[in-house]
Amino acid sequence: MKKSGLRKASNPYNAALAPYSVWSFVFVVVPLLFIAYYAFTDNSFHFTTEHIVRFFTAKSNVIQDDGTTAEVRTYVLIFLRSVRLALISTAVCLVLGYPIAYIMSRAKERTQKTMVTLIMIPMWMNFLIRTYAWMTILQDTGILNTLLGKLGLGPVHIIGTETAVIIGMVYDYFPYMVLPIYSVLAKLDVKLLEAARDLGCNSFSVLRRVIFPLSMPGVVSGITMVLVPSISTFYISQKLGNGKFFLIGDAIEGQYVANNLHFAAAIAFILMVILLVCMAVVKNVTARYVYGGE
């Protein structure tokens, strides 16, 4: 009787999840299967690992700072550059976003709503418009350099540099760091903080031993939501980097435009596998850190 009751109770939940399950399969699983299929086939749709091998072995000559020429693995170098810029932008978002999320979670309810709205407003605007806005701000004759000139600090060349690309990434993906952390901190039981202080912890100890460990699920979600799109971005690097910094997203787009669909799919497939492995490792480490391996 109990089992049949549980089955009846679970039926409405299964029915409610059915549309989402179908949507996920059609628009998530099926496209990923197509990417894997294209990655391991040639133009005649015969099985091959040529495109995967090409990603790791393709080489090109680059001019170093001292004027000498060196042979490097093209796509591996592009991937490492993408990871480096993505890690920097993710770290900046975390350092800036965590205090803001904490302040929001401890503010009054009305203030929280206002701050959440201010964080989300940029997300309501078109991504391309936001990127063009930063081009206007950062270019040599832009708003920033005009202001610095009036202050007597002189013009600063930012557009077309890695710094400009990082600024664009931080601005566009910053809300994805703040909101997950805020959602966890807002639900944090205040009694735990009071108990920690009663046991002799100062403010820093409370943050290190109570608040930060309990907020790790939000931190991991924020890191994932910022790191993944930062690695695969291409429009920000094209506009704010003036096309000087070829990232892995640019490589995929370039192969797609050149109608090399199979190699573009291979790059996307390798990137997807690497990111999934990294996410699994981070999730496992986080579970051990928060729950003591349980």
Side-chain angles (χ1 to χ4, degrees):
M1 293 297 292
K2 290 184 179 180
K3 291 184 179 180
S4 62
L6 289 173
R7 289 177 182 176
K8 290 181 180 179
S10 63
N11 287 335
Y13 295 102
N14 294 333
L17 289 174
Y20 174 75
S21 301
V22 173
W23 186 93
S24 298
F25 179 79
V26 173
F27 294 103
V28 177
V29 177
V30 172
L32 293 179
L33 292 176
F34 269 105
I35 290 175
Y37 176 70
Y38 269 77
F40 288 97
T41 55
D42 55 20
N43 292 332
S44 300
F45 293 98
H46 296 144
F47 176 81
T48 181
T49 58
E50 175 188 356
H51 305 298
I52 304 296
V53 174
R54 179 184 172 188
F55 176 88
F56 293 101
T57 59
K59 296 181 179 180
S60 61
N61 294 324
V62 297
I63 301 176
Q64 297 180 323
D65 295 336
D66 57 2
T68 60
T69 302
E71 190 178 52
V72 297
R73 297 184 186 275
T74 308
Y75 295 102
V76 174
L77 179 64
I78 293 172
F79 175 73
L80 292 177
R81 182 190 298 128
S82 302
V83 171
R84 178 169 58 85
L85 296 181
L87 287 174
I88 294 173
S89 62
T90 303
V92 173
C93 285
L94 179 59
V95 171
L96 297 179
Y98 196 95
I100 293 177
Y102 179 77
I103 293 172
M104 289 170 56
S105 65
R106 301 275 76 86
K108 296 180 180 179
E109 184 177 353
R110 184 175 180 180
T111 305
Q112 288 186 29
K113 293 179 180 179
T114 303
M115 296 180 71
V116 169
T117 302
L118 292 175
I119 292 292
M120 294 182 63
I121 282 178
M123 300 173 64
W124 300 344
M125 293 183 290
N126 185 274
F127 182 83
L128 304 183
I129 295 176
R130 285 182 281 162
T131 305
Y132 271 107
W134 273 106
M135 291 175 61
T136 304
I137 294 172
L138 298 178
Q139 63 185 355
D140 293 339
T141 57
I143 298 173
L144 179 61
N145 276 316
T146 300
L147 179 61
L148 291 176
K150 291 182 178 180
L151 295 175
L153 300 177
V156 178
H157 180 69
I158 301 178
I159 197 74
T161 65
E162 290 186 351
T163 301
V165 176
I166 293 172
I167 290 174
M169 289 181 180
V170 170
Y171 175 77
D172 284 314
Y173 303 128
F174 184 71
Y176 298 111
M177 179 65 74
V178 176
L179 296 179
I181 298 175
Y182 161 74
S183 64
V184 173
L185 291 177
K187 300 175 183 178
L188 191 63
D189 191 351
V190 181
K191 294 181 180 178
L192 295 175
L193 309 184
E194 296 175 351
R197 291 192 178 94
D198 291 341
L199 292 173
C201 288
N202 55 29
S203 298
F204 179 75
S205 296
V206 171
L207 175 63
R208 182 173 62 89
R209 296 185 177 184
V210 181
I211 298 176
F212 189 74
L214 292 178
S215 65
M216 279 301 294
V219 171
V220 173
S221 297
I223 290 175
T224 303
M225 294 176 68
V226 174
L227 184 64
V228 172
S230 294
I231 291 179
S232 58
T233 187
F234 63 93
Y235 195 80
I236 296 175
S237 59
Q238 289 179 1
K239 297 305 178 182
L240 297 183
N242 285 344
K244 298 178 181 178
F245 305 101
F246 208 60
L247 303 183
I248 198 68
D250 299 307
I252 296 173
E253 186 208 21
Q255 296 299 325
Y256 180 82
V257 172
N259 203 31
N260 298 327
L261 302 183
H262 297 273
F263 187 48
I267 299 174
F269 179 79
I270 293 171
L271 179 62
M272 178 181 65
V273 171
I274 293 174
L275 290 176
L276 288 176
V277 171
C278 292
M279 289 169 59
V281 171
V282 170
K283 183 179 180 181
N284 185 46
V285 172
T286 304
R288 292 176 179 272
Y289 178 74
V290 177
Y291 303 110
E294 295 181 2

